[in-house]
Amino acid sequence: MPAPPLERIPAHAMAPDAVATALDADLVQGLGEDEAETRIRRFGPNMLRRKRPKGVLSILLHQIESVIVWLLAAAALFSFLLGDMAEAVAILVVLLINSAIGFFTELKGTRAMEALMKIAEVRSRVRRAGSQRMVNARDLVPGDLVLLEPGDVVTADLRLTLGENLQIDESILTGESVPVTKTTAVCDDDPTSPAHANMAYKGTAITQGTGEGLVVATGMHTALGRISALVQSAKGEVAPLEKRLDKLGHRLVWLTLGLALLTIGVGLVRGHAMTEMIQTGVALAVAAVPEGLPVVATLSLARGMWRMSAHNALITRLSSVETLGATTVILTDKTGTLTENRMTAVAYLFEDQQIALTPTATGLRFDAAGQAVLPADNPRLLWALRVGALCNTAHLGDGSTDGGLGDPMEQALLRPIAQADLPEAVIQIDRPAVAVHGFDPFRKMMATTHRDGDGMLMTVKGAPETVLDVCSHVMAQDGTTTAMTPQARQSWTARSAKAAQSGLRLLALAKKHPRDAAADPYGDLTLIGLVCLRDPIRADVPKAIAASRAAGVRVVMLTGDHADTAQAIALAAGLGDGALKVIEGSALADLAIDTVSDAQRQEILAADVFARVTPEVKMTLVALYQQAGHVVAMTGDGVNDAPALKKADIGIAMGLRGTEVAKEAAHMILRDDAFSTIILAMRQGRVIFGNIRNFVIYLMSCNVSEVLVVGLAVAGGLPTPLLPLQILYLNLVTDIFPAFALGFGRGDAHVMTRPPRDPAAPIVTARHWLLLAVLGGAITVATLGAFGLALFWLAMETQAAITVAFLTLALAQMWNVFNLRNPEAGVLHNDVTANPYVWGAIVLCLLLIAAALWVPLLAEVLRLAWPGMAGLGLAAVASLVPLGLGQIWIGWTKRRG
């Protein structure tokens, strides 16, 4: 029968089996796939009603909201009032063209970023038709049986049916930061309660324990959905970079408007007519407008984010693009980031024996001193395999090295049983857990409880040092036990440290047989042995760390491993030079940020590796580095990493093994979990900022030259060398397209050999203002020089001389793009000449300039006259002067250092 309407099920006031009956669901097998498909067609996708994407009309209106557009409109109005209808209409046409370019560019950039956000989709673990599988969270339907583990984000409202030590952070609903302990018992039907103890609500996070629950509400029918229906007014994020660009553009507008007024005043004093001066003022106002600035910035950011996504780095916050290029230190996890996250059990260490695991053509062989060992003949080995399998929440699926569910380390404990093809009757692991005590990051242990005849079996695995502390006995080869003496404990500690020094990760395996399931699992244990796990270094990590060091970015490793293991892995990864400084997390456990001494601070900041770190220590380290002026990137994957990921300047979550809580807290998600991807993203962040800086300098130097050309000519008593419509056409042609090309640049070869930029530094620094002034001044000199030569040497008519000035300025601004090369690169081979978009922009600009001169209707509208071959030659030669002066300036500043 079909499931009833969601609102008719007071699930919290009903027993689990009653809820299952009401939903026509199965508490053991889950829904069948066909039924799930039927229900998703009925109830729709499990999605909240998101804030409506930026609509076409909204983007269109955005084009006319800025001061820039209103200035152009005012220029058209002045031309109309002066009776120049052709110019007024032409300005409006150019304004429409410019707005159209802005509209389509912003539309493309907005849609691109919206599409990127859809990539980071949340997945849920469910049981359907008796099998566990991962499904897209939006495909959950009422009646689905969802499995919960620490780090999961609850993706629908669930009526809990099973729970072991289950705690959930419900602060998103209640505002209470303390996790809530959950139960499966029936709760009172209190409609005023924001949350019930037997429910797990969409958007909350599992902080501890495990559980299962039936989906009773999805999408907007959930508690979170009802809240979100009331709050749909959040504004979109605006990156700090975009704010600074907007502020810079407005400053330039007001500065040049002041120059325009000054020029008009000077012209009037020199006897120019008021009408002529108003026209000049309009020309200067038009010249002041950096039309392309916001347009190119939007497209450059969007394109950069797509490039990062293509390299498996998904940016979730626009502001992070800017921050990436300023990162000075990376606090990186080890497992899966520096290593392959392909844990393999390689040996078992017992009291008087070491058994190696040797892969064979047909499976796996257990060897002790070169002799094959059969688990059935070795009770201690059998118990090690059994405990590794029972104290475990992972699933291998078909038993291969890929495709399993759960923690890779736990999969590694299951794999020897599958690869050795051990019969279930021998291994005896068909014992469902009565209780699961999830991994405790403070105790560094995990335990499970199973029925064992009339009593119980408790299995424990964890860090050797913590498990050894709670063991009172040791298992012998024949399965008997002996007391754990201080000498024996010391010997075990030494063996663990020796194995860790070779880069192995070790887990201690222990058990006990209490009468009651309520017994403390972490006491009076019998140690079985240690399992040695190897996780190879990723092949690309040493090179990536070397690239990071060359870029002036320090890499520090944070790990929960033993200090000796951590140091061995760090050395293999190429971290540090020579001996590494390693600090145990316990040394920082009680550290107070406000009272730490300078000497202690320096010692901590000089460390290369932090071992046995807790989530609190990670928070402390992030704060210490930030206080020291660093821009901190930090990786994390667990639910306990979320606070530190939020606090870091760039929180980086693992896309493959990361919990949903970590992903939601992060600014960037690595879809391949690879450290080298961070370096690629960092490079792209630097390239994006460099491109934006280049096109800002390019646009502003072109606009400044236009203002100076008009202003100085008027001040010098010359005719106005450029008309407002001509300036608008130039801005449309020689501003937009070369600026687009610069925004699409892939960066130079030296971008990762320079130190990180100061995050507090402006887009245009003092050095760049000087370059801007030089380039703008050179274009001004060349244009006014050509204008003067055309008037007084070639004795041209004013309109023909204006055409020479127009062509000189157009070509000079176009060649100016080559002055934005990296000073470290060559004149002919550099990041600008290697950019195919630049050459495409130049060809397009040349065609448009030629059209302005040779298409009669366009030439008439722009008031361009044929300047003759002499005028063309003069403009061509004069336009090369700024390029030559710019290259000389770049070479001179390079020699000066």
Side-chain angles (χ1 to χ4, degrees), residues 705-845:
S705 67
E706 292 165 2
V707 171
L708 290 176
V709 164
V710 174
L712 291 178
V714 171
L718 296 173
T720 304
L722 293 169
L723 303 178
L725 196 55
Q726 294 171 355
I727 294 174
L728 262 182
Y729 189 81
L730 287 178
N731 285 359
L732 188 66
V733 172
T734 59
D735 274 13
I736 295 291
F737 298 114
F740 273 157
L742 289 174
F744 290 168
R746 293 187 176 274
D748 61 81
H750 304 277
V751 70
M752 289 299 283
T753 60
R754 295 188 286 270
R757 65 177 179 82
D758 181 354
I763 297 174
V764 183
T765 65
R767 176 172 64 87
H768 298 113
W769 278 113
L770 186 58
L771 174 63
L772 189 155
V774 168
L775 297 180
I779 295 173
T780 301
V781 169
T783 303
L784 286 177
F787 183 57
L789 290 173
L791 282 173
F792 304 115
W793 180 47
L794 297 179
M796 289 185 177
E797 295 290 335
T798 300
Q799 191 172 359
I802 289 175
T803 302
V804 170
F806 172 84
L807 293 174
T808 303
L809 184 61
L811 293 172
Q813 289 184 344
M814 194 170 61
W815 309 138
N816 187 42
V817 74
F818 295 106
N819 287 326
L820 275 300
R821 69 176 174 87
N822 172 30
E824 303 298 322
V827 175
L828 298 178
H829 300 286
N830 53 65
D831 50 312
V832 178
T833 58
N835 185 347
Y837 295 104
V838 166
W839 296 106
I842 286 176
V843 171
L844 180 59
C845 288

Side-chain angles (χ1 to χ4, degrees), residues 270-285:
R270 294 183 65 90
H272 289 275
M274 174 64 75
T275 301
E276 180 185 352
M277 284 299 93
I278 291 177
Q279 288 180 322
T280 300
V282 170
L284 286 172

Side-chain angles (χ1 to χ4, degrees), residues 3 97 183 296 339 353 409 414 495 574 596 624 670 714 750 773 789:
I97 293 173
T183 180
V296 183
T339 64
Q353 188 181 41
M409 182 182 66
L414 297 175
R495 292 179 69 191
V596 62
L624 277 173
L670 301 184
V714 171
H750 304 277
L789 290 173

Side-chain angles (χ1 to χ4, degrees), residues 499-524:
Q501 287 170 0
S502 61
L504 294 174
R505 184 169 187 175
L506 288 99
L507 285 175
L509 305 172
K511 71 177 183 75
K512 70 177 182 179
H513 297 268
R515 301 294 301 174
D516 190 348
D520 180 10
Y522 304 121
D524 196 24

Side-chain angles (χ1 to χ4, degrees), residues 176-441:
E176 297 292 335
S177 60
V178 179
V180 178
T181 300
K182 290 296 183 174
T183 180
T184 60
V186 175
C187 293
D188 293 335
D189 190 6
D190 180 5
T192 64
S193 175
H196 295 91
N198 60 4
M199 297 286 293
Y201 295 96
K202 182 178 177 70
T204 60
I206 310 300
T207 60
Q208 184 174 311
T210 58
E212 296 182 7
L214 278 174
V215 175
V216 297
T218 59
M220 295 302 291
H221 292 281
T222 62
L224 186 62
R226 290 191 291 273
I227 294 174
S228 68
L230 301 175
V231 187
Q232 291 286 336
S233 58
K235 292 186 178 180
E237 176 190 17
V238 179
L241 182 63
E242 291 181 305
K243 293 178 181 177
R244 283 192 279 175
L245 282 173
D246 188 57
K247 188 175 181 180
L248 184 65
H250 285 168
R251 282 182 176 177
L252 182 63
V253 166
W254 296 121
L255 174 64
T256 47
L257 281 178
L259 290 174
L261 292 174
L262 179 63
T263 303
I264 292 172
V266 172
L268 291 175
V269 170
R270 294 183 65 90
H272 289 275
M274 174 64 75
T275 301
E276 180 185 352
M277 284 299 93
I278 291 177
Q279 288 180 322
T280 300
V282 170
L284 286 172
V286 170
V289 177
E291 297 98 330
L293 207 57
V295 173
V296 183
T298 299
L299 200 60
S300 182
L301 284 170
R303 186 175 179 81
M305 289 175 71
W306 269 109
R307 282 182 181 168
M308 290 187 194
S309 178
H311 288 100
N312 292 313
L314 178 62
I315 302 296
T316 61
R317 303 180 191 180
L318 195 59
S319 58
S320 304
V321 176
E322 178 184 1
T323 312
L324 267 171
T327 301
T328 60
V329 63
I330 303 173
L331 305 180
T332 180
D333 193 9
K334 173 185 72 67
T335 304
T337 308
L338 300 181
T339 64
E340 293 182 2
N341 199 27
R342 294 177 60 186
M343 290 280 186
T344 304
V346 296
Y348 287 95
L349 302 183
F350 299 118
E351 185 179 33
D352 53 3
Q353 188 181 41
Q354 177 172 329
I355 296 180
L357 280 64
T358 307
T360 65
T362 58
L364 189 71
R365 188 176 71 244
F366 300 92
D367 292 321
Q371 299 295 317
V373 176
L374 296 177
D377 299 333
N378 190 313
R380 185 169 52 187
L381 174 58
L382 200 59
W383 267 112
L385 293 167
R386 186 178 298 145
V387 169
L390 292 174
C391 192
N392 203 311
T393 59
H395 299 271
L396 281 185
D398 61 5
S400 66
T401 55
D402 298 311
L405 293 175
D407 187 277
M409 182 182 66
E410 293 195 331
Q411 292 185 46
L413 297 178
L414 297 175
R415 204 164 287 124
I417 299 172
Q419 292 175 339
D421 197 22
L422 295 173
E424 191 173 282
V426 172
I427 204 69
Q428 296 179 13
I429 57 173
D430 186 18
R431 306 183 186 190
V434 175
V436 176
H437 302 270
F439 178 76
D440 188 324

